């Protein structure tokens, strides 16, 4: 990494002298939010309510300049606060006054205000910065994806570090204004609604707004040359889809899939309740170096490799299901990833039923019967898979299998009441797997801890008796024929393999994080 500090020693000394003696009761904010999977991710001592990002990007050189304004409130009395960030910082201000700054660890930006910050204080932090994101790596990977005509920021569990300073953990959601200046002829995409565009002296500015709480990993930026389609849902929600102009043979299949976004979202409302945002869409940039898709809020990212074998509406179903399960209700900790991935995968199983390509029961029977008891698949515990398996295929398929077992145990009426009620109960917030179990027990009136322990937490294949009790693979213990939809679902998996980094969603193994892989 190449990060410069521009904070002369004399300036730092003067700041330290300016801090009153009473500041001894103030402590530096923690460099991590407390997630055991990623101890250095996020930060302690404050909560961000809004990010205002004003950026300038030059596609030819990959140079990004930015001014980030963060509105926050302290949750502790702070002498210093940390942000997660990688680029070179030239200035930091806290409540309008210049602050000292330095870096530590792989991705920590430490900001020391002139005066300490009491607990409960409203704080405005301004950071000016610049750099070449593609030149930066942390922990040996990058979530910044270069394209022939620009770049994309999309990764899980981290992507923000390469383009804006943040409290990078789903526990700290915020609203966003993202304003991006790019050369004429190039477009800039982000989440939410396009508020305005303006052009001057060869540059065009795009102003995007996300008006509902959004986790940092769900914020996205894409710069390049796109074909853009627009429309509205039956309820009037604007749809913006975008496709790189150089997708080649994948262009038709990508459009045939992503253009069904409005239809799929409307269908999902039958199961999950009203669509929770005021914008909808998806984008397919020319990023063949990765294969994942990611549920970036209101506008999912799709790698063109998702469509290399033809149209793939199933992956659109998966990413749009995340708008409820993952985006609207986000994990409280990364160990709770089943709340995201098991449910998005199960939505694909429900879509299979909708398309008459195999019922969820038939898919569950196949998943259970097709993997022997000694398959390492069964050693992964979807309810707490560990950071190394956060995006393992078992979190998806075994995770969805657990939902079918739950459905069979409590019946369709209670099961679908839970699917719709859960996003409403925790809307725009965070929750744990334990919260879900408690909610399911409340709605169903049944004790479910033993059932879900068997399917989510035991590092072994549930035995025949346990499977038959909930009607899984009840037709026998041999091979169960794969439903027609299975090939499409399996194709989605094949491009969501570990890409090289922390995870899958963009990196861990499924969707697009450190190197995820399955299709977050």
């Amino acid at each position: 990494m190449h990060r410069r500090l521009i904070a002369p020693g004399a300036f730092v000394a003067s700041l330290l002298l300016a801090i009153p003696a009473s500041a001894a009761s103030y402590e530096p904010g923690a460099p991590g939010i407390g997630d055991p999977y990623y101890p250095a991710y996020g930060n302690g001592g404050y909560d961000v309510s809004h990010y205002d990002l004003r950026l300038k990007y030059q596609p030819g050189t990959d140079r990004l300049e930015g001014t980030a304004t963060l509105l926050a409130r302290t949750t502790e009395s702070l002498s210093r606060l940390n942000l997660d960030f990688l680029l070179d910082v030239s200035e930091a201000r806290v409540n309008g006054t210049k602050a000292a700054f330095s870096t530590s660890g792989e991705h920590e930006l430490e900001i020391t205000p002139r005066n300490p910050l009491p607990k409960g204080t409203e704080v405005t932090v301004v950071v000016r910065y610049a750099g070449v994101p593609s030149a930066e790596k942390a922990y040996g990977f990058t979530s910044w994806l270069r394209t022939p005509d620009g770049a994309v920021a999309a990764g899980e569990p981290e992507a923000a570090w390469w383009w804006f300073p943040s409290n990078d953990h789903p526990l700290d959601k915020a609203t966003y204004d993202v304003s991006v200046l790019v050369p004429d002829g190039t477009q800039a995409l982000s989440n939410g609604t396009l508020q305005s565009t303006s052009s001057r002296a060869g540059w065009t500015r795009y102003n995007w707004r996300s008006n509902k709480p959004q986790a940092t990993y769900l914020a996205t930026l894409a710069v390049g040359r796109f074909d853009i389609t627009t429309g509205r849902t039956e309820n009037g929600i604007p749809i913006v889809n975008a496709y790189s102009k150089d997708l080649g043979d994948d262009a038709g299949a990508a459009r045939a899939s992503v253009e069904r976004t409005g239809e799929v979202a409307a269908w999902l409302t039958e199961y999950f309740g009203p669509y929770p945002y005021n914008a909808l869409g998806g984008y397919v940039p020319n990023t063949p170096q990765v294969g994942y898709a990611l549920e970036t809020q209101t506008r999912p990212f799709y790698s063109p490799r998702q469509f290399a074998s033809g149209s793939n509406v199933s992956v659109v179903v998966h990413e749009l299901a995340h708008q409820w399960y993952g985006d609207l209700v986000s994990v409280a900790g990364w160990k709770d990833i089943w709340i995201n991935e098991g449910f998005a995968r199960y939505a694909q199983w429900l879509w299979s039923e909708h398309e008459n390509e195999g019922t969820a029961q038939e898919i569950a029977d196949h998943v259970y019967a097709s993997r022997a008891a000694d398959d390492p698949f069964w050693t992964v515990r979807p309810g707490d898979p560990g950071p190394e398996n956060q995006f393992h295929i078992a979190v998806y398929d075994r995770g969805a299998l657990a939902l079918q077992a739950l459905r069979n145990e409590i019946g369709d009426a209670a099961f679908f009441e839970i699917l719709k009620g859960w996003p409403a109960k925790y809307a725009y917030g965070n929750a744990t797997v334990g919260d879900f179990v408690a909610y399911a027990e409340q709605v169903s009136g049944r004790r479910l801890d033993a059932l879900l322990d068997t399917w989510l937490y035991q590092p072994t294949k549930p035995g025949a008796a346990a499977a038959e009790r909930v009607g899984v693979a009840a037709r026998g213990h041999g091979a169960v024929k794969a439903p027609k939809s299975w090939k499409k679902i399996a194709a989605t998996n094949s491009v969501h393999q570990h890409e090289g980094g922390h995870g899958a969603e963009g990196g861990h193994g499924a969707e697009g994080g450190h190197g995820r892989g399955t299709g977050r």
Side-chain angles (χ1 to χ4, degrees), residues 22-38:
S22 61
S25 61
Y26 293 82
E27 298 289 340
I33 207 167
D35 192 319
Y37 276 27
Y38 306 106

Side-chain angles (χ1 to χ4, degrees), residues 155-158 217 294 334 337 391 505-507 512-514 516 520:
E156 182 185 16
E158 67 292 291
Y217 86 93
L294 181 64
W334 283 111
I337 191 66
F391 300 105
E505 292 281 353
H514 284 81
R516 329 300 179 254
R520 296 162 172 137

Side-chain angles (χ1 to χ4, degrees), residues 124-156:
T124 300
V125 179
V126 177
V127 180
R128 297 183 187 277
Y129 57 92
V132 177
S134 60
E136 304 293 342
K137 288 188 176 182
Y139 307 98
F141 73 93
T142 179
S143 289
W144 183 261
L145 308 175
R146 284 286 270 149
T147 64
D149 53 12
V152 171
E156 182 185 16

Side-chain angles (χ1 to χ4, degrees), residues 33-311:
I33 207 167
D35 192 319
Y37 276 27
Y38 306 106
Y41 287 25
N43 304 282
Y46 65 94
D47 183 82
V48 181
S49 61
H50 184 73
Y51 291 91
D52 184 274
L53 309 178
R54 192 167 181 88
L55 310 173
K56 180 179 181 181
Y57 181 70
Q58 177 55 262
T61 60
D62 194 40
R63 180 171 175 79
L64 178 69
E65 302 172 35
T67 300
T69 303
L70 286 65
L71 306 182
R73 175 184 287 270
T74 57
T75 57
E76 302 171 11
S77 294
L78 296 178
S79 60
R80 188 188 75 208
L81 59 86
N82 282 28
L83 294 168
D84 301 297
F85 195 47
L86 290 174
L87 300 185
D88 297 336
V89 174
S90 59
E91 182 179 81
R93 290 179 178 266
V94 176
N95 292 337
T97 302
K98 282 190 176 182
F101 58 90
S102 61
T103 62
S104 65
E106 292 273 345
H107 69 281
E108 296 293 320
L109 172 63
E110 300 178 346
I111 297 178
T112 304
R114 180 180 295 272
N115 298 309
L117 304 170
K119 180 179 179 179
T121 299
E122 297 289 344
V123 180
T124 300
V125 179
V126 177
V127 180
R128 297 183 187 277
Y129 57 92
V132 177
S134 60
E136 304 293 342
K137 288 188 176 182
Y139 307 98
F141 73 93
T142 179
S143 289
W144 183 261
L145 308 175
R146 284 286 270 149
T147 64
D149 53 12
V152 171
E156 182 185 16
E158 67 292 291
W161 312 343
W162 285 265
W163 64 290
F164 69 98
S166 69
N167 192 14
D168 192 24
H169 191 278
L171 274 176
D172 194 355
K173 295 183 174 183
T175 54
Y176 285 74
D177 281 309
V178 179
S179 177
V180 190
L181 188 66
V182 294
D184 286 350
T186 299
Q187 295 124 317
L189 304 169
S190 191
N191 313 79
T193 56
L194 182 62
Q195 300 292 294
S196 64
T197 61
S198 59
S199 296
R200 182 174 179 272
W203 293 81
T204 301
R205 182 170 292 281
Y206 294 82
N207 297 299
W208 295 89
R209 171 167 290 177
S210 295
N211 70 344
K212 297 295 184 183
Q214 176 174 286
T216 43
Y217 86 93
L218 298 173
T220 193
L221 175 67
V223 176
R225 297 177 181 272
F226 295 96
D227 287 327
I228 295 177
T229 66
T230 60
R232 290 188 178 271
T233 67
E234 294 180 0
N235 294 329
I237 297 170
I239 303 172
V240 176
N241 297 325
Y243 311 88
S244 282
K245 291 178 180 284
D246 56 354
L247 290 180
D249 291 344
D250 298 331
R255 287 173 180 261
S257 306
V258 177
E259 287 301 307
R260 296 182 68 180
T261 289
E263 171 197 350
V264 170
W267 173 78
L268 285 167
T269 64
E270 301 173 14
Y271 294 98
F272 298 156
Y275 180 71
Y277 305 111
N278 66 350
L280 188 61
Y283 73 98
V284 188
N286 188 6
T287 53
Q289 67 269 44
V290 298
Y292 58 83
L294 181 64
E295 64 272 17
T296 41
Q297 193 161 302
T298 70
R299 189 153 294 109
F301 159 86
Y302 302 95
S303 164
R305 281 166 53 188
Q306 293 285 342
F307 312 106
S309 297
S311 62

Side-chain angles (χ1 to χ4, degrees), residues 371-394:
R371 292 185 180 271
D374 61 355
D375 191 320
F377 172 90
W378 299 108
T379 67
V380 176
R381 305 178 305 152
D384 188 0
E388 71 283 356
N389 288 318
Q390 185 180 346
F391 300 105
H392 192 282
I393 192 61

